[in-house]
Amino acid sequence: MNIPHDSATKHVSGQSVYIDDILINSQLLVGRVVYSKHAHAKITKLDLEAAKKFHGVHAVLSYKDIPGHNQMGPVVHDEVCLAVGIVECIGQAIVLIAAETEEIAIAAEKLITIEYEPLEAILDIRTAIEKNTLLGPVRTMQRGDADAALKKTKHIITGELETGAQEHWYLETQSCVCVPGEQQEIIAYSSTQHPSETQAIIAEVLGVGKNEIVVETRRMGGAFGGKETQGNWTAAWSALLCHATKRPVKIRLFRDDDQIMTGKRHPYLIRYEVGFDDAGKIDAMKVEQNADGGYATDLSLAILERAMLHADNSYYIPNILVTGRAYKTNHPSNTAYRGFGGPQGMAGMETIIDRIARTLKKDAADIRKLNFYGIDKDNITHYGQEVELNRLHVLYDKLINTSEYYARRKAVNEFNVKNEFYKKGLALTPVKFGISFTTSFLNQAGALVNIYKDGTILVNHGGTEMGQGLNTKILQIAAAELGVSNAKIKVNATNTSKVPNTSATAASAGTDLNGMAVKNAIDTLKERITGLFAKEFSKSSPENPSLQENIAIENDLIFDRKNPDRKIPFDEAMNVCNFNQVSLSATGFYKTPNIGWDKATGWGKPFNYFAFGMCVSEVMVDTLTGFYKNLRTDILHDVGESINHGIDKGQIEGAYIQGVGWCTTEEVKWNDKGHLLNHSPDTYKIPSVQDIPEDFRVEIMQGIPNPNAIRKSKAVGEPPFMHAFATWLAIKDAISAVGDHKHEPKFKLPATNEVILLSIEELKKRH
Amino acid sequence: MQQTISFVLDGKIQTLTFNETFGPTTTVLNFLRKSAEHKGVKEGCAEGDCGACTVVIGELNTDNKITYKAMDSCLVFLPMIHGKQLITVENLKQQKGVTEVLHPVQQEMVDCNGSQCGYCTPGIIMSMFSLYKNENNPAKESIDDALTGNLCRCTGYKPIIEATAKACVNNGEDHFVRNEKQIVELLSQIKDSTNSIGINTATQKYYQPKTKAEAFEMRNKMQDSVLVGGATDVALRVTKRHEVLKEIIDLSNIEELKKCTITDYVIKFGAGMSLEEVRKISRNELSALHETLSVFGSRQIRTLATFGGNLGSGSPIGDTLPILMAYDAEIKLQGVDGDRVVKMNNFILGYRQTDRKPNEIITSIIINKPSTNTIVKFYKVSKRKDLDISTVSAGFSVTLDKNKVSGITLAYGGMAATTKRATEAEVFLMANEWTRENIEQAMPMIEKAFTPISDARSGAEFRSVVAKNLLMKFWSETSNQK
């Protein structure tokens, strides 16, 4: 099915309402956050008096004014809402201001005196490793004996890879409006991926029951993981100001402040040692993943876990040891970002394969195929899960042909012989991505489906819409499960008073979990409705009663399959239900079955299933400037049976391009004081329309249904992000051509034109 | 002088007086965001880098028709839309009874799955609309250029390009065509009453003269005032640094500054011409200038930014500076004391310092068309190819007599506090053969000539390496080496 995004006409006509667009009465106050200008410092003086007296200012709050717990940490409680005596990163909130206008708030901020005594700051992962500032325990996952196998293996490569941070750059910055109700009540309209947690944190900082707080999220203007926990901050701050002033308060972070204050994708330093035979088959691998967690734990440990679970990407490695460490540094706490550690883990693995190929002077695509997980054997991961329904081989066999890989490899080589200043590169990379929250209990979802007497349906579920089309898919699922037309259904804004205690919309699992919960609610309603109409239809002919099992709902009609003349339009039927005292409101619930693993031993089945994909990318590098051009990219991706082809394709294309941004132009740099240098789109460069492949071919693999998820579909949000590795490694292939592929080029992620050019210069000197 | 401004919005003339709510440097974006009916216009960055705030400005042209131009509303001060039509995303659809009829660009975006989170979409729709009104069946290159100023983080752009191409196939009728007569009438009404504008508020003085003579007088009286061409640079002082600009002279409404004269040998550009107009005019005979401007900002920015404004800012990374050095262009400065012409090569004095005297205004840029044996090229190195500020830029020109160099300019931006020439390399190459050997000898001289800085854009080493490599690139392209 291919229906447009359920908000598409609203998007294109400017009628979609985001947080900043909500019409609030004239009592609205503007909230402003005063944050630390030091990466690590003691606050020696904090004087708010002048600001408090400024005309038009309604509240100036510090940690002393927090009525509940001064705590925001979603897992580990190591993040204060407002700084107490010490600041640990630039951008950490110290004071909140509520004022009648933004101008007044800005003027008031200038009247606040904060004095600091700077302390030693740790600003990069290498220093953190040296000082051993671990955020959590050292984790390992292993199978076989990597050390012993490395002693026996034919070839050994060691090395390290740096991967950079990535700013989410959602178009809508962090925003929340809090509206006071009676006494303690607050309704928070929040741009959050996790309304239940936002609700919990507001309740905790205010010291009130969660039943006093309602969080509502209609849609986000992009999130990408950046609003999984980071949305809680603006929500808690505006709630504090709302609580203090008893007026509606809005905080919408200015773009530069958003970039300075919020966490990013974790930079990683990956060290590896790999052993392989003459053919390129891997015998053993040791990988150490070191994550820059920023100043607090946030989700760093779960992200590290997923990175470790994806250290193998798509390859069977008989002897493997993966060690993971997350370190504290004095940057804003790094956080969830599309892929959630998976990209970092897989970047390490793909670098290793690329290096094996260069060492053996073989085509890297062949090395990849050689090491893919098998179908019947060599199909157990390093954490003990079987790679069931392995699609790697079928995808490879198709894509290697449709992309004309080998012919183009030949053409690329010929081009490179003939050209000195331009070099081409080509690469194929696979994706295998585990679907489920690896913290198993989070794999649950709720729904509330209301049918009204006119036959219209309002679907509530715990997931949030951030552009990924979740609500559209939910609408399609609800229509298909209930047997009514799409037009009857509306998917409501996510609201914690409708569906409580939900998990974040994350881990690509939004449709899998919430779709099933909605189905569950609809199953309940169908049971009630068909029960009633079995009785109703039987009234006229008691001698030949209608059986409930034969009552069907299809195409807006309720009928008896055995007696098709016994029928009633759905709309009319709902009035009959009400008249007969049948409840037309039902909750639904779902928890993913058959998963579970032992985090301590790193063994078990963390994932419900795997999503697969493959990509071939060809680039041309200007060896004099380091610019690259994305000439052609072919993606073949597995989404099971697509619920919505247009939306799935949009996710695949968009994720790939976002991945290309991370791998190429999106560079996050800090100076030696910890100040973020790229704090606006002036210097932080996400892909523009001109950066997409000149020839961009995206195909959804047909005929591979997924038995483990709603309507045989598969999660799609994150897996295609990693297709960008094909482009990243094609760039490396082009650089390598400068030295006739005889030397290993210096390379890292992102491969900016600076990285590319300096790598080429170094190769020229060696060659 | 007139204290109020008037423009057409939602089919009506709106007249605005300035007060506490709206000052003369309030941006069009902030004006629209304060109205309940125009929340579709979004702020994504407030610096012209994302395009979420794109609106279309309709201007009455000399044929009594309306010209439609997409602009970043976050960079436009309210008085700059005086006498014009302001079109927002809300104005595109039509209500027919209970049904809404979408504009073709909107309908194609829906049909092609061109929106995901939807936040960038209103701005993209307006860029598409502007293209729709200006080009029939645009080439891929033009579609890309029209959309470069709009960042989308969700889609990967492919469906947006597709939607734009489809909407602009044989595009014709829309309700803007049908209502044009009526809008032209409204715009003519305002235009007839348009005077020079002088706005005085408690904190700001804002002047928008209509003639050069008025501008010179004002400038002479207020030599510390901020001169504004298109405000694409100055607006950031307001939107990002929250500065209150006390005195502003806005040159955007002086027709005399927008004239271009082309003779057999010389093109004289009015300093008030937008960079987009300069780009179009320079396509054939000043191709390097055309190339420069094709990777300069975005269409929305180039439509606002003026030639004189970019020069006047004197920024070391202002991309028109090195290329004007390569063309050996001249700058005409005028004021109450008369006028004078300065060579571009003598115009830049220091970091954001120019030879312009406080009471002078840049009025034109004069470029001699290069002779047939002169090759001029522009190179820009930036992290992202488009809509990015140069890490290093270079304007090169070489005149070859057979294969011998008889004239050479190697001007660099981004390598020092000012745009600067690599003099030693120029001297070495002059009167020498234009060969690879000589180029390779000159390259280290370029590296030696500069001590660039490391910053958010790149490290110093990259700048040094790429600066010398650009000379090799220039040679390879002038001698057809691959």
Side-chain angles (χ1 to χ4, degrees), chain A residues 11-12 18 20-21 167-168 255-256 420 422 622 654 666-667 669 682 686-687 690 696 753-754, chain B residues 33 42 44 47 106 115-118 148 153-154 157-158 240 382-384 436 455 457 459 469 473:
Chain A
H11 289 156
V12 300
Y18 302 81
D20 197 30
D21 306 333
E167 161 61 40
H168 301 82
R255 172 63 63 187
D256 294 49
E420 179 187 354
Y422 289 94
D622 178 341
E666 293 185 35
E667 188 178 28
K669 291 205 278 195
D682 173 20
I686 69 168
Q690 310 245 14
F696 192 10
N753 47 5
E754 180 171 17
Chain B
R33 292 286 315 162
K42 302 286 186 260
E47 61 176 43
Q106 294 174 312
S115 73
Q116 287 186 22
C117 85
T148 294
R153 191 54 153 168
C154 296
Y157 301 102
K158 203 181 165 198
K240 300 202 63 171
S382 48
K383 201 169 276 171
R384 188 173 68 199
R436 181 160 187 166
D455 64 7
R457 296 194 168 86
N469 281 2
K473 195 168 177 61

Side-chain angles (χ1 to χ4, degrees), chain A residues 14-263:
Chain A
Q15 295 176 95
S16 290
V17 176
Y18 302 81
I19 303 301
D20 197 30
D21 306 333
I22 297 172
L23 296 175
I24 301 270
N25 65 31
S26 58
Q27 278 86 43
L28 178 73
L29 299 175
V30 175
R32 187 168 177 85
V33 188
V34 182
Y35 58 77
S36 168
K37 305 287 187 280
H38 288 267
H40 192 196
K42 229 188 252 176
I43 297 172
T44 52
K45 188 178 176 190
L46 183 62
D47 185 352
L48 311 177
E49 290 315 307
K52 282 180 181 172
K53 286 179 200 137
F54 194 69
H55 185 72
V57 169
H58 286 242
V60 181
L61 310 179
S62 73
Y63 72 93
K64 291 177 188 161
D65 305 298
I66 295 177
H69 297 295
N70 183 13
Q71 187 48 246
M72 301 282 297
V75 183
V76 179
H77 297 307
D78 61 354
E79 287 177 88
V80 289
C81 184
L82 294 175
V84 185
I86 206 153
V87 282
E88 295 193 280
C89 72
I90 289 169
Q92 187 180 346
I94 304 169
V95 175
L96 305 173
I97 303 169
E100 279 160 22
T101 66
E102 194 182 4
E103 290 74 20
I104 294 171
I106 290 166
E109 178 177 355
K110 292 187 181 136
L111 300 174
I112 291 173
T113 312
I114 307 176
E115 286 172 11
Y116 302 89
E117 183 189 314
L119 301 169
E120 190 193 356
I122 294 166
L123 298 169
D124 66 289
I125 183 73
R126 288 179 199 273
T127 313
I129 293 170
E130 205 177 287
K131 305 231 174 206
N132 200 30
T133 60
L134 281 172
L135 276 170
V138 179
R139 294 280 302 270
T140 56
M141 291 177 198
Q142 61 181 315
R143 189 241 319 271
D145 187 340
D147 279 311
L150 281 168
K151 280 187 191 125
K152 284 185 265 172
T153 194
K154 180 89 186 275
H155 305 275
I156 287 187
I157 290 174
T158 60
E160 61 178 44
L161 172 72
E162 284 174 28
T163 66
Q166 184 177 24
E167 161 61 40
H168 301 82
W169 230 86
Y170 26 68
L171 261 286
E172 179 205 34
T173 55
Q174 304 283 351
S175 315
C176 183
V177 183
C178 284
V179 181
E182 293 180 356
Q183 293 186 318
Q184 314 286 357
E185 288 173 2
I186 284 179
I187 300 177
Y189 299 93
S190 169
S191 186
T192 174
Q193 284 173 255
H194 198 347
S196 286
E197 188 172 82
T198 303
Q199 174 202 24
I201 283 182
I202 291 174
E204 284 160 22
V205 296
L206 295 181
V208 303
K210 292 185 179 62
N211 58 359
E212 301 283 358
I213 308 297
V214 173
V215 173
E216 181 166 307
T217 304
R218 163 58 72 187
R219 63 169 63 74
M220 285 163 271
F224 317 111
K227 294 171 182 173
E228 185 170 344
T229 61
Q230 306 295 288
N232 296 338
W233 294 94
T234 39
W237 295 327
S238 40
L240 282 167
L241 290 169
C242 172
H243 182 85
T245 59
K246 294 289 170 213
R247 301 255 298 239
V249 176
K250 172 159 76 185
I251 297 181
R252 178 185 65 98
L253 294 186
F254 189 68
R255 172 63 63 187
D256 294 49
D257 292 334
D258 187 299
Q259 288 193 231
I260 290 166
M261 294 164 80
T262 63

